[in-house]
Amino acid sequence: MEKLLVIKIGGNIIDDEQKLALFLHKLAAINHKKIVIHGGGKLATRLAEQLGLPQQIINGRRVTDAETLKIATMVYAGYINKNIVAMLNANKCNAAGFSGVDGGCIKAHKRIVKNNDTDYGFAGDIDEIKNSFFVNLLKEDITIVLAPITADTNGQLLNTNADTIAQEVSKSLVKDYEVNLIYCFEKAGVLRNIEDDNSVVNSLDHNAYLKMTEEKTIHSGMLPKLDNAFSAIANGVGKVIIGQAEQIDQLITGHAGTTIIQ
């Protein structure tokens, strides 16, 4: 079965032009089918602050009010998405940019708030991935660049966690490809000591994850990333690796980062 790389990028890599350019140069040279899913929270946060709109992040997830949704859509599905597409194309990688809205490729609903749960505003939870949308583009050797904006059946735009999109898209394609899911960000992997980049955990199972969570070794934005990683492994994704974007070529071969095991 042909290999497919589903690669989520976020964190400081999006904000650093030189690091992003190097990452995309390396990615373009990798001869596998590819789907790139990006966030861009820091840029959206800075723009919101410049416009005088306070931002709230809870457990690594953004609370999206109506005005923040407009900013997220402009930044994610606009500037960041097209910048990545342009840079990949400049590196001779045939790329096209989309959001979850395009072609109805990701069906979602506004998150339902129950009991004392946090109200994340216009946050979207995924109902369905349109498998054929992705398969048909991949057959044409197009590298898909996907922004984390979705919509419900009434056309309401929603801000959906990019880590979750990466996981759900990966799961939806396991019958068609040998899927490897790679989460790329600024750290070298899951760290035993957040201040020490050399303290990478080479492999992580769920029991060890729970223990590190209880000890507060893992917290904040890493929590949804790892929850999604374990869900992907449990649902047929062949390999999930978390690591530094600059090491993308080594992450793909398993020689860097943290490998998630069942």
Side-chain angles (χ1 to χ4, degrees):
M1 192 177 290
E2 191 172 10
K3 181 179 286 188
L4 167 66
L5 303 178
V6 178
I7 302 168
K8 191 269 176 176
I9 57 172
N12 294 339
I13 189 69
I14 295 290
D15 299 325
D16 189 313
E17 289 186 11
Q18 289 186 333
K19 287 183 178 179
L20 181 60
L22 177 60
F23 167 80
L24 294 174
H25 176 74
K26 288 183 177 181
L27 183 64
I30 295 170
N31 190 26
H32 292 300
K33 293 187 182 298
K34 300 178 284 285
I35 298 175
V36 180
I37 298 162
H38 62 82
K42 294 180 182 179
L43 182 57
T45 298
R46 286 203 303 269
L47 181 57
E49 289 173 348
Q50 290 170 7
L51 294 173
L53 297 172
Q55 298 293 284
Q56 188 178 13
I57 307 292
I58 300 174
N59 293 327
R61 296 181 186 267
R62 181 182 303 276
V63 177
T64 306
D65 59 22
E67 293 304 309
T68 298
L69 178 63
K70 294 177 185 177
I71 291 172
T73 303
M74 288 186 286
V75 172
Y76 298 169
Y79 174 74
I80 291 177
N81 187 268
K82 299 314 169 192
N83 186 48
I84 291 172
V85 170
M87 293 174 76
L88 283 171
N89 283 330
N91 280 282
K92 312 302 181 186
C93 176
N94 185 24
F98 306 91
S99 72
V101 177
D102 297 298
C105 64
I106 301 177
K107 296 179 181 178
H109 65 271
K110 185 176 181 292
R111 183 169 301 157
I112 299 169
V113 182
K114 299 178 181 178
N115 302 323
N116 295 320
D117 290 350
T118 301
D119 185 354
Y120 285 94
F122 289 99
D125 285 335
I126 296 171
D127 294 318
E128 184 181 349
I129 302 294
K130 189 176 180 181
N131 174 279
S132 59
F133 177 90
F134 296 98
V135 170
N136 289 335
L137 287 167
L138 292 168
K139 284 180 179 178
E140 297 298 322
D141 288 327
I142 294 172
T143 292
I144 300 166
V145 181
L146 192 62
I149 300 297
T150 61
D152 66 15
T153 54
N154 296 316
Q156 171 63 57
L157 293 175
L158 298 165
N159 182 15
T160 300
N161 182 270
D163 291 337
T164 303
I165 289 178
Q167 176 236 133
E168 292 292 343
V169 168
S170 295
K171 287 173 8 184
S172 76
L173 292 165
V174 295
K175 292 182 180 179
D176 302 282
Y177 297 96
E178 177 193 337
V179 182
N180 287 5
L181 171 58
I182 302 172
Y183 286 111
C184 291
F185 67 144
E186 64 270 18
K187 296 294 183 180
V190 178
L191 304 178
R192 292 184 179 87
N193 178 358
I194 193 66
E195 304 298 331
D196 182 6
D197 282 340
N198 294 316
S199 64
V200 176
V201 179
N202 293 326
S203 63
L204 184 69
D205 65 25
H206 200 260
N207 288 335
Y209 167 52
L210 293 177
K211 183 178 180 182
M212 292 179 75
T213 303
E214 290 171 2
E215 295 170 346
K216 305 297 183 183
T217 305
I218 297 174
H219 55 84
S220 303
M222 185 61 79
L223 295 172
K225 196 181 303 294
L226 284 169
D227 286 341
N228 282 300
F230 281 108
S231 177
I233 283 290
N235 285 276
V237 173
K239 185 182 292 184
V240 180
I241 298 175
I242 298 174
Q244 198 169 42
E246 293 94 320
Q247 296 180 305
I248 181 61
D249 44 353
Q250 297 174 62
L251 293 176
I252 289 169
T253 59
H255 290 104
T258 299
T259 299
I260 304 303
I261 57 178
Q262 204 158 2

